Amino acid sequence: MVARYHAADLEVILDVVYNHTAEGNELGPTLSLKGIDNASYYRLMPEEPRYYIDDTGTGNTLNLSHQRVLQMVTDSLRYWATEMRVDGFRFDLATILGREPHGFDEGGGFLDSCRQDPILSQVKLIAEPWDCGPGGYQVGGFPPGWAEWNDRYRDTVRAFWRGDEGQLPELATRLMASADFFQRRGRRPFASVNFVTAHDGYTLYDLVAYNDKHNEANGEDNMDGHDHNLSWNHGAEGPSDDAEIQALRLRQIRNFIATTLFSQGTPMLLAGDELLRTSRATIMRIVRTMRSVGWTGTLMVTPTP
């Protein structure tokens, strides 16, 4: 598969999660690492080592300060880069990987390993530069050679196109690769990964169709996720048959995509945003919206087994 993508001049970036495992906290199952060497593989509470430090929000935190854990992760990355020939990695909750006992350290073991390794230093490295622990927000804090998801870009662009006042100075900085965060120690504009939507939270269609999140159906009483989404429904909450509202929403979607593509930095689009994917609407509602603005193409849908 990777070879076919390369033949088409496309690179493959693998999304990897080295910050926690499915074993969870002290109530979770013993599947592998807990039974091998619990105290080495996980960060434990110093005074009560039966409990896990949870900087991930998922119950446990992998301990990359330990040399064997660091070896396991870097061996895994080298395997994907050399045997599978992927072109780079996007690291989930990457601040975890740079944590030492004293906190995040850009000179920590894992980040130093990536700098020094003859293989990992040559592939693309992209950080989600935050986690749930103290000091976990590290946008702009990763070393040269890394790119980072830029949530300041996301929030500024959302606020500007929503019509919030006083956004022009901030927007100008975001359009120019957020030099206030990334123009340090020789880092280049590509370090800013610019995005408006990602796999967490709203799709682009939902961003222009809802003022509030509606996660009632998942059984968590709409408590998951945060409420500061800087969204705007343009006059009606959710799907609307009003032609003016539909046209305005589609224009805003084009504004978001154009802004992302023409900003300095690395643009990132959420798959499906270009087809008005939504977390709530049915496929026929999407088709009706597209037809209402003159779209005449054929939409192919593959059902999920």
Side-chain angles (χ1 to χ4, degrees):
M1 184 199 74
V2 174
R4 290 296 182 91
Y5 276 116
H6 286 170
D9 291 328
L10 293 171
E11 293 186 334
V12 177
I13 306 295
L14 190 66
D15 189 355
V16 291
V17 182
Y18 291 110
N19 55 71
H20 72 281
T21 75
E23 292 187 302
N25 61 16
E26 69 280 358
L27 302 177
T30 297
L31 302 175
S32 57
L33 304 182
K34 278 185 180 180
I36 297 172
D37 189 350
N38 185 59
S40 295
Y41 281 98
Y42 296 111
R43 295 193 185 278
L44 306 178
M45 291 290 188
E47 287 78 25
E48 295 185 273
R50 72 170 285 199
Y51 296 109
Y52 294 79
I53 292 175
D54 183 13
D55 292 329
T56 66
T58 55
N60 56 32
T61 302
L62 211 63
N63 180 21
L64 271 84
S65 297
H66 193 282
Q67 63 269 27
R68 287 295 168 254
V69 184
L70 178 60
Q71 180 184 5
M72 176 185 70
V73 171
T74 52
D75 282 352
S76 171
L77 291 169
R78 281 190 290 268
Y79 168 80
W80 283 103
T82 57
E83 300 298 325
M84 297 301 177
R85 307 295 177 90
V86 301
D87 302 281
F89 304 93
R90 178 266 183 188
F91 294 88
D92 184 72
L93 299 183
T95 302
I96 294 289
L97 309 180
R99 280 191 180 275
E100 298 297 332
H102 56 274
F104 178 82
D105 184 351
E106 72 158 87
F110 174 76
L111 297 178
D112 264 355
S113 295
C114 291
R115 265 194 297 263
Q116 299 167 8
D117 189 275
I119 296 170
L120 300 182
S121 62
Q122 301 304 307
V123 300
K124 292 179 171 63
L125 303 173
I126 303 170
E128 183 184 34
W130 47 76
D131 64 27
C132 301
Y137 186 77
Q138 291 294 331
V139 173
F142 281 72
W146 281 77
E148 303 173 34
W149 279 22
N150 186 353
D151 65 329
R152 290 292 294 272
Y153 179 95
R154 175 199 65 197
D155 292 348
T156 300
V157 172
R158 286 187 181 191
F160 173 80
W161 284 114
R162 191 173 69 167
D164 293 8
E165 295 183 356
Q167 295 299 316
L168 274 177
E170 180 86 359
L171 179 68
T173 302
R174 303 297 150 238
L175 295 179
M176 302 303 290
S178 297
D180 53 339
F181 286 103
F182 297 107
Q183 193 175 2
R184 303 170 185 170
R185 297 160 297 166
R187 300 187 74 182
R188 306 302 297 273
F190 76 81
S192 175
V193 177
N194 302 325
F195 68 101
V196 176
T197 55
H199 66 280
D200 290 323
Y202 285 58
T203 67
L204 196 53
Y205 177 85
D206 292 341
L207 184 67
V208 301
Y210 296 94
N211 280 349
D212 305 297
K213 60 183 175 68
H214 297 274
N215 293 345
E216 296 87 355
N218 64 11
E220 297 188 19
D221 298 322
N222 205 31
M223 298 297 292
D224 56 324
H226 61 86
D227 295 310
H228 185 64
N229 291 297
L230 298 168
S231 62
W232 176 32
N233 65 20
H234 297 83
E237 187 73 354
S240 172
D241 294 324
D242 187 302
E244 291 186 5
I245 292 176
Q246 291 178 353
L248 181 56
R249 287 175 176 177
L250 290 172
R251 186 161 71 244
Q252 286 286 70
I253 287 173
R254 291 194 292 270
N255 288 336
F256 281 124
I257 292 177
T259 303
T260 304
L261 293 179
F262 287 106
S263 298
Q264 286 195 357
T266 302
M268 184 181 82
L269 300 179
L270 175 63
D273 276 352
E274 75 284 3
L275 296 175
L276 308 183
R277 183 176 70 87
T278 168
S279 299
R280 291 180 60 84
T282 64
I283 193 69
M284 291 309 299
R285 191 177 298 139
I286 297 175
V287 171
R288 284 202 306 272
T289 301
M290 298 173 78
R291 297 285 191 201
S292 70
V293 295
W295 180 77
T296 59
T298 300
L299 189 64
M300 297 187 66
V301 179
T302 302
T304 301

